[in-house]
Amino acid sequence: MPSPASPLRMVIQRALALSAVVLLGVTACTAAPPVLPSTTPAPTQAPTPTLFTFGTGTDPLGFDPALVSDTESYRVTRQVMEGLLTVNAVTGDPAPSLATEWTEGDDGLKYTFTLRPGVLFHDGTAFDAAAVCANFERWYTMPVSTRGDGSSSMFKQVFRAFSDDSENSLYDGCTVGSALQVTLGLKTRLTGFLPSLTLPAFAISSPTALKANTANVLDQTFASNKVSRYGLHPVGTGPFTFAEASAGSVTMNANKDYWGEKGQITTLKFKTFEQPATRLAALEEGSIDGYDPVTPDNLDKLIKSGKQVLQRDPFSVMYVGINQKIPVLQDVKVREAIAAAIDKSLLASNFFIGGTATTAQFIPPKLSGFNNAVEGIAYDPQKAKTLLAASSYNGEELPFYYPTNAARTYLPTPEKVYVQIAVELTKAGFNIKPVPIPWNEGYLTAVTRDGNHALSLMGWNGSYADPDNFVGPLFGSPGAELGMDDPQLTSKITRARSMPNGPDRVAAYESISKQIATTVPAIPIVFPISAIALSDRVQSYPLSPVLNEVFNQVKLVTPTTD
């Protein structure tokens, strides 16, 4: 069953307090005339169709959650698909979803789940234990032609390897006990296993739809990303069914057979507005009901106009990636010089929402493993020049990749952040080559696959309350984004993730934080605060620091008749 309260409890409780918006000034209604008795039954009226339109900063990259990891793709798939577990909105703990209860066995190597009865996928396929195993086996056996090196795959980040490297994989099979009982096996204990199952990447797809739409064959394109036919039309058990998607727009309809709360929205649309000004204008003119993210330059305008602005507590990190496949960046003095040249405080105050804190480490302070003794490399332009002069750097051109036409929850104004950092690095003596790539034209692929990116602007939004979620994906195994191969760090992360919660595990992650700060494989900049804007039509919104925001939970103001 769910574990005791997690370190995310206070984060989510604050988010709930912010999202509970009370609307005042409702006009009193006049009394209705008396209704005369009638022998004719009143006709049953269908609920009034309710369209809700939400603005986003970029297009999704696809809709197969096993193969995408960007916020906007997950924003869609969270509405359509569900996993065995979800996040408790009050405590942040794993909570029942498609599984109603679970037990741990064999000293943490077996987890048996009781499944929710009577649930159907949107295509009519029955949800059962066989469907769960079909999904887990698909993820485990996914071919290289589909997953690439798998570095961006959540399955690899949690289980470490696929079936073609079974020796190094933590996954040890899925067993059907009965139609409504399934057991997942691990080769070694994984302390964050249950929280990791709340990730949208582990949402359960209809096995019928996966097969019919050749989910492992990437022969289609969406937003410049190779996808399968299934990746263009996901089929899950969620409160909304997928209708259609095109550049700039995704439409979903309420699932009339949903097992849980159906909500007020009958048609849900996500519309892309790449520029902050166009998102703001759309809200002001009433063509959208809300948008995410709010940029710092629009925050004051929204507040002055009386719009609702809800701020999420920080549970993400924005960083500068350093690719050690570029030979000169293997020199730690060069990496230290880069860190010393960047004024994090200026970036936080100028390009992020007020209250955003600078950081010298990747694990947020609300999680165990945050090390108060880690100060990192302070901003010191002269020290940057001195380090560079003592290093092996000889003026080599360093391609610096950054996204354009995008606003991320962890990076609301990437072009401005890039310009500031590039100016500071140039002053320190670096030869910086700007490489702007539109987000929807393959930015994520460009910086997470082998290439010539020396530096890159990136971020990570935490999905569950475990320190491994922040250091494991980036540093737990070699990957093309950072091009690093640090067996000692990898070994420490592998050991820490299997340790039981307690002082020893805290100390292990504190040591990991210290080593990352010392070796500088990437430079954490800030823990950003993100915000959304809502129209007066919205009474409350399920704000979540881990972005577990499902729109059947949106409460709308009920129209009144005078």
Side-chain angles (χ1 to χ4, degrees):
M1 291 299 292
S3 60
S6 74
L8 198 53
R9 177 192 296 272
M10 293 186 68
V11 177
I12 291 184
Q13 286 176 333
R14 182 182 168 198
L16 286 171
L18 286 168
S19 63
V21 180
V22 179
L23 299 179
L24 304 177
V26 177
T27 305
C29 298
T30 57
V35 178
L36 299 177
S38 172
T39 57
T40 305
T44 301
Q45 290 187 339
T48 304
T50 303
L51 170 66
F52 192 89
T53 305
F54 194 79
T56 64
T58 56
D59 279 347
L61 298 180
F63 307 107
D64 181 350
L67 293 174
V68 292
S69 57
D70 63 295
T71 301
E72 297 308 337
S73 297
Y74 283 161
R75 195 193 301 274
V76 174
T77 62
R78 285 183 191 274
Q79 318 306 319
V80 176
M81 306 173 69
E82 299 169 303
L84 295 176
L85 306 179
T86 187
V87 178
N88 184 292
V90 176
T91 67
D93 296 332
S97 182
L98 291 179
T100 57
E101 57 185 36
W102 53 93
T103 57
E104 177 183 319
D106 198 11
D107 198 24
L109 299 183
K110 302 287 184 186
Y111 287 85
T112 298
F113 298 86
T114 300
L115 305 182
R116 191 174 297 279
V119 176
L120 295 176
F121 290 100
H122 300 154
D123 61 1
T125 301
F127 166 74
D128 57 17
V132 174
C133 285
N135 277 263
F136 272 88
E137 289 301 309
R138 180 212 172 200
W139 301 329
Y140 179 54
T141 62
M142 190 171 287
V144 174
S145 59
T146 305
R147 72 177 200 248
D149 68 359
S151 59
S152 62
S153 161
M154 292 298 168
F155 185 89
K156 181 176 181 180
Q157 291 173 13
V158 172
F159 294 100
R160 287 299 182 257
F162 300 90
S163 59
D164 55 2
D165 185 20
S166 60
E167 225 177 87
N168 292 312
S169 180
L170 301 186
Y171 178 73
D172 197 29
C174 180
T175 305
V176 174
S178 67
L180 295 178
Q181 188 179 82
V182 66
T183 298
L184 296 174
L186 299 171
K187 291 178 183 173
T188 61
R189 182 181 179 86
L190 180 57
T191 302
F193 177 62
L194 289 175
S196 75
L197 291 185
T198 68
L199 288 167
F202 296 124
I204 306 298
S205 296
S206 162
T208 304
L210 289 171
K211 183 177 180 180
N213 293 301
T214 54
N216 286 352
V217 180
L218 308 185
D219 56 359
Q220 308 291 314
T221 302
F222 189 85
S224 299
N225 197 38
K226 297 297 289 182
V227 299
S228 67
R229 285 191 293 134
Y230 181 78
L232 294 176
H233 195 105
V235 179
T237 60
F240 293 93
T241 63
F242 192 89
E244 61 180 357
S246 59
S249 178
V250 181
T251 302
M252 291 154 282
N253 296 316
N255 176 11
K256 61 183 177 57
D257 298 318
Y258 184 53
W259 60 265
E261 181 182 352
K262 294 180 175 64
Q264 297 170 268
I265 298 168
T266 55
T267 301
L268 174 61
K269 284 192 174 184
F270 292 153
K271 293 186 67 175
T272 303
F273 299 87
E274 292 180 345
Q275 301 305 318
T278 59
R279 289 196 295 278
L280 176 62
L283 183 68
E284 289 178 333
E285 70 185 20
S287 61
I288 61 175
D289 300 293
Y291 72 80
D292 181 23
V294 170
T295 53
D297 54 345
N298 280 343
L299 183 61
D300 286 344
K301 297 175 185 176
L302 286 162
I303 293 173
K304 287 176 182 176
S305 66
K307 299 297 183 187
Q308 301 180 61
V309 178
L310 307 183
Q311 294 187 12
R312 300 181 185 95
D313 269 8
F315 204 62
S316 63
V317 59
M318 178 255 149
Y319 63 90
V320 174
I322 302 176
N323 183 8
Q324 292 185 47
K325 287 287 179 67
I326 306 300
V328 72
L329 295 180
Q330 295 171 11
D331 185 342
V332 69
K333 282 191 172 62
V334 175
R335 303 198 301 273
E336 289 173 344
I338 294 170
I342 298 175
D343 188 346
K344 297 178 182 180
S345 295
L346 187 148
L347 292 170
S349 60
N350 286 3
F351 307 120
F352 293 86
I353 289 175
T356 291
T358 62
T359 178
Q361 52 194 305
F362 283 82
I363 298 174
K366 287 182 171 63
L367 293 183
S368 60
F370 179 83
N371 191 337
N372 288 312
V374 171
E375 297 180 354
I377 298 173
Y379 172 58
D380 188 335
Q382 185 53 52
K383 181 180 179 180
K385 292 178 181 179
T386 301
L387 284 165
L388 201 58
S391 75
S392 59
Y393 184 72
N394 195 30
E396 292 89 343
E397 185 177 75
L398 299 179
F400 193 159
Y401 284 45
Y402 64 98
T404 62
N405 299 334
R408 318 300 295 160
T409 53
Y410 52 73
L411 190 57
T413 55
E415 294 94 339
K416 294 179 180 179
V417 171
Y418 162 76
V419 168
Q420 181 61 41
I421 294 176
V423 166
E424 292 168 345
L425 294 178
T426 300
K427 287 180 179 178
F430 288 99
N431 180 9
I432 298 298
K433 176 187 177 182
V435 184
I437 300 178
W439 181 269
N440 288 335
E441 294 181 18
Y443 178 77
L444 196 58
T445 299
V447 300
T448 57
R449 302 282 176 89
D450 287 329
N452 74 331
H453 56 285
L455 306 174
S456 58
L457 283 188
M458 281 291 287
W460 178 262
N461 202 94
S463 299
Y464 59 94
D466 191 275
D468 185 67
N469 185 228
F470 281 86
V471 296
L474 267 180
F475 311 108
S477 60
E481 181 184 349
L482 302 181
M484 58 171 284
D485 189 3
D486 187 338
Q488 185 191 39
L489 181 60
T490 299
S491 177
K492 289 173 74 170
I493 291 174
T494 299
R495 175 177 174 269
R497 68 201 306 263
S498 65
M499 297 173 67
N501 284 320
D504 290 344
R505 192 170 194 253
V506 171
Y509 278 107
E510 288 179 346
S511 176
I512 288 166
S513 290
K514 181 178 180 180
Q515 183 166 336
I516 292 171
T518 302
T519 58
V520 204
I523 303 167
I525 304 295
V526 293
F527 292 129
I529 290 176
S530 64
I532 68 169
L534 297 167
S535 74
D536 291 342
R537 187 184 179 204
V538 180
Q539 182 176 349
S540 68
Y541 178 90
L543 198 70
S544 167
V546 296
L547 306 182
N548 186 38
E549 298 167 359
V550 186
F551 281 64
N552 65 321
Q553 300 297 322
V554 171
K555 305 299 181 187
L556 302 177
V557 176
T558 304
T560 58
T561 303
D562 291 342

